[in-house]
Amino acid sequence: MALRAAEWHKLPTSLTELCINTTLRCGQSFRWRKSAEDEWSMALHGRILSLKQDAEALHYRAIHPSPVTKLPTPPPSNAPSVAAEDDDTLALITHYFNLEPNLGQLYEQWAASDANFKKRAPKFTGIRILRQDAWEALIGFICSSNNNISRISGMVHNLCLHYGPLVAHIDDIPYHDFPTPDALSGPDVEAHLMKLGFGYRAKYIAKTARMVSQEKGLKWLEQLSNPECPQFGVETQSAGELLEGGREGYRTAHEELLALHGVGSKVADCVCLFGLGWSEAVPVDTHVWQIAQRDYRFGKGKHSSLTAATYVAIGNLFRKLWGKEAGWAHSVLFTADLKAFSERVVAKTEIKEEEVVVKKEGDETVVENVVKKETVKRKRIKKEPEDDEHQILQIMKETTRRTRRRRS
DNA sequence: CCCCGCCCTGGAGC
DNA sequence: AGCTCCAGGGCGG
C-alpha cells in the first residue's frame, strides 16, 4: 500500500523575525540535522519535526510514529503515519522557537542602546533563543566543556541513539528522542560513554543523571524555569523585577544548578538561558570573554583575567546594556563571532595595522613586520561539514573506530 | 579570592 | 610522523 507522506504546513514569517539557518546552527541546540537540501529535522515531543524556510514562510511537517496496531491481521507497516489534523505541532513550534516576541523591535532596542550591537547584528538577524527542554539542555551543555560544536553534536546524537526512544525513520535514518534521566542512570552508563569517546564528561553525565532521577527529581529541574516562560504546556506566571544580577528566580536557578557535577557558572547559565527561559542569563565562555575584551574594555586592571568576579561583571554590564533580554542580545554577538559564520563578518575588522618592530641584531638594524595575533587566528578557520550525511558518517566512524581500538 | 594543573578527544596547522 | 594549540569549562589543590 502506498503511504501518504505527511503534509507540509505553512507559517508566514520573515527572515528577520526568524532565520532557522542561523538559529539552528549557532550552538544553542545540538540535535538538529539536515534531512535534505535546506531541510532540518529533529525528533521532538514524540514526533519528527521537519522544517524548511523561504523568504515568506516557515514550512513544517510532523511525522508521528505509526500507531502500534496490536491486530494480528495484516502485515504490520513500520512506515510513519500522517499527523492528525488537530495536532499540537503549530503550538509546539510557536513555543519551541519562542515566536511571541517581536524580534525586529528587540534588535532595534539593543542597537539603540549599544553601538557595537548595531555594528555587528545586521548580518545576523532572525536569531531566536530556543525554548528547549531543560534536561536536554543540561546534558548538552555538560558535553560542551572544552569542546567544539560538531563534536558536541556527535556526542548528543550518540546519547539519543543508544539511550533515547526511537520515534521514526526518514529515508531509513532513525530519529530518537532525547533520553530521560532514568535512561542515563544505569550502572554501565559511564563506562559505555567512555567507550563512545565522551572523555571526562562521561562521569559528569552519569552522576548528574543519577542526581536528577533519584535525588532531586526532574520536577525540581523544571520548576527552576522562568514562570513567564515555562516548559511546553505549563501556564505562565509573573517572574518579578530585574535586578543587577538578574531576577530572583534566575539567581536561584543558577545557584541550584551548580550543585550538579560538571556544571559550573557557564554551563548553568546556558541551561538557564536555553532550557529554563531566563533571558537575562549571560553565559561567558572563551568567545564572550574575547568579545568583552575586544569590544567592552575588559581584560585590564581589575578584570585582566576571567575570574569568577569578572564573569559576574560581564553579565552585569550586559544586563545594564540590554536589560531583561541580555542573554538573547549576547547570543547574537556570540553567533557573529563563531567560526562557522566567519564568511559573514563585518569589514574584516579593518585591515589590521601591522606593528613595525625595530630591533638591533649585531651591527645592523632589522625592521620586521610583526603580524598581530588576530590576523594569525583568522588563518585557522576550518570549514564546518556542509552536508549532514557526511556528518552522520563521521559519527558512525568515530564509534566503530573506538570500539575497534578497544578490541585490539 | 585567585591561580594552576589536570582532565578526554579530535581537528588543524606547522 | 610528531608536536602544539584550541574547541562555548569544571574541579581540586
Side-chain angles (χ1 to χ4, degrees):
Chain A
M1 140 185 151
L3 284 144
R4 250 172 76 215
E7 286 169 30
W8 286 91
H9 301 270
K10 219 192 268 189
L11 176 58
T13 186
S14 70
L15 283 159
T16 53
E17 281 301 304
L18 171 65
C19 176
I20 60 171
N21 187 38
T22 312
T23 300
L24 300 182
R25 295 195 304 139
C26 71
Q28 56 174 316
S29 64
F30 304 108
R31 214 145 60 80
W32 286 93
R33 287 153 56 183
K34 268 196 166 172
S35 46
E37 189 62 22
D38 295 319
E39 179 183 313
W40 296 90
S41 294
M42 174 180 136
L44 186 61
H45 278 266
R47 75 208 77 180
I48 306 178
L49 189 56
S50 297
L51 304 172
K52 293 190 278 192
Q53 186 173 24
D54 56 34
E56 287 88 38
L58 177 71
H59 304 265
Y60 66 91
R61 81 173 169 193
I63 296 177
H64 291 257
S66 49
V68 188
T69 38
K70 301 268 177 176
L71 300 175
T73 25
S77 135
N78 319 346
S81 72
V82 182
E85 288 278 345
D86 61 340
D87 76 342
D88 59 350
T89 297
L90 180 56
L92 177 60
I93 288 174
T94 307
H95 176 272
Y96 182 86
F97 281 93
N98 198 2
L99 293 180
E100 208 56 42
N102 182 324
L103 195 52
Q105 237 167 50
L106 285 174
Y107 270 64
E108 277 179 33
Q109 289 171 27
W110 298 330
S113 51
D114 178 32
N116 186 52
F117 185 94
K118 186 174 185 147
K119 173 180 165 192
R120 300 188 188 270
K123 296 195 177 175
F124 296 90
T125 55
I127 298 176
R128 296 234 168 218
I129 297 297
L130 302 174
R131 294 161 73 178
Q132 299 177 74
D133 176 79
W135 166 247
E136 177 177 343
L138 172 59
I139 297 303
F141 284 99
I142 285 178
C143 292
S144 77
S145 78
N146 244 329
N147 211 342
N148 57 68
I149 293 178
S150 104
R151 185 173 161 221
I152 299 164
S153 302
M155 289 161 68
V156 171
H157 177 79
N158 267 332
L159 284 179
C160 295
L161 195 61
H162 292 279
Y163 296 96
L166 175 67
V167 172
H169 292 76
I170 297 182
D171 300 332
D172 289 331
I173 295 175
Y175 283 77
H176 296 252
D177 221 325
F178 196 80
T180 62
D182 280 343
L184 292 174
S185 296
D188 305 325
V189 169
E190 183 183 336
H192 184 208
L193 294 184
M194 217 46 203
K195 270 199 288 189
L196 290 175
F198 279 64
Y200 60 84
R201 303 162 198 86
K203 182 176 292 183
Y204 292 160
I205 292 169
K207 277 192 173 180
T208 292
R210 250 175 247 138
M211 278 177 85
V212 170
S213 82
Q214 289 160 28
E215 239 174 87
K216 295 172 177 291
L218 190 55
K219 269 282 190 293
W220 160 82
L221 177 64
E222 290 175 346
Q223 279 168 3
L224 297 175
S225 293
N226 180 353
E228 290 177 356
C229 196
Q231 301 289 308
F232 184 56
V234 181
E235 297 245 346
T236 67
Q237 288 172 39
S238 170
E241 295 299 307
L242 181 67
L243 311 170
E244 186 190 30
R247 284 166 288 191
E248 187 80 35
Y250 157 64
R251 294 183 178 198
T252 307
H254 187 266
E255 194 182 336
E256 293 265 315
L257 287 169
L258 294 181
L260 301 170
H261 292 274
V263 180
S265 224
K266 188 267 174 181
V267 169
D269 271 326
C270 288
V271 178
C272 283
L273 179 60
F274 302 123
L276 295 172
W278 293 108
S279 52
E280 70 263 54
V282 177
V284 181
D285 52 43
T286 52
H287 285 274
V288 178
W289 172 231
Q290 281 166 26
I291 292 170
Q293 293 174 87
R294 187 189 62 203
D295 301 331
Y296 298 94
R297 309 201 155 271
F298 278 84
K300 298 174 237 177
K302 178 82 189 105
H303 298 304
S304 56
S305 67
L306 184 49
T307 64
T310 305
Y311 186 102
V312 172
I314 294 174
N316 287 347
L317 170 68
F318 284 5
R319 279 183 287 271
K320 203 188 301 176
L321 222 44
W322 300 310
K324 209 163 53 169
E325 325 301 332
W328 197 331
H330 130 286
S331 294
V332 175
L333 295 186
F334 169 82
T335 304
D337 224 53
L338 270 185
K339 280 189 309 184
F341 298 103
S342 57
E343 68 276 9
R344 284 193 228 170
V345 288
V346 188
K348 295 285 182 200
T349 342
E350 302 164 44
I351 304 137
K352 255 310 175 200
E353 70 273 47
E354 295 168 335
E355 268 185 340
V356 179
V357 173
V358 182
K359 60 180 180 185
K360 293 239 174 186
E361 273 188 12
D363 286 1
E364 315 175 87
T365 303
V366 182
V367 180
E368 60 182 51
N369 290 336
V370 176
V371 188
K372 292 198 106 176
K373 232 182 175 178
E374 214 173 338
T375 322
V376 176
K377 275 199 148 180
R378 203 172 296 127
K379 283 163 90 177
R380 321 184 109 218
I381 290 174
K382 74 152 182 249
K383 284 205 84 176
E384 296 286 324
E386 291 293 331
D387 58 311
D388 212 50
E389 286 182 66
H390 174 51
Q391 208 172 328
I392 292 165
L393 286 179
Q394 204 84 339
I395 293 161
M396 304 301 191
K397 202 168 61 187
E398 277 169 30
T399 318
T400 48
R401 204 165 74 198
R402 296 231 100 248
T403 42
R404 211 181 300 143
R405 203 184 280 171
R406 285 278 158 182
R407 258 180 237 137
S408 58

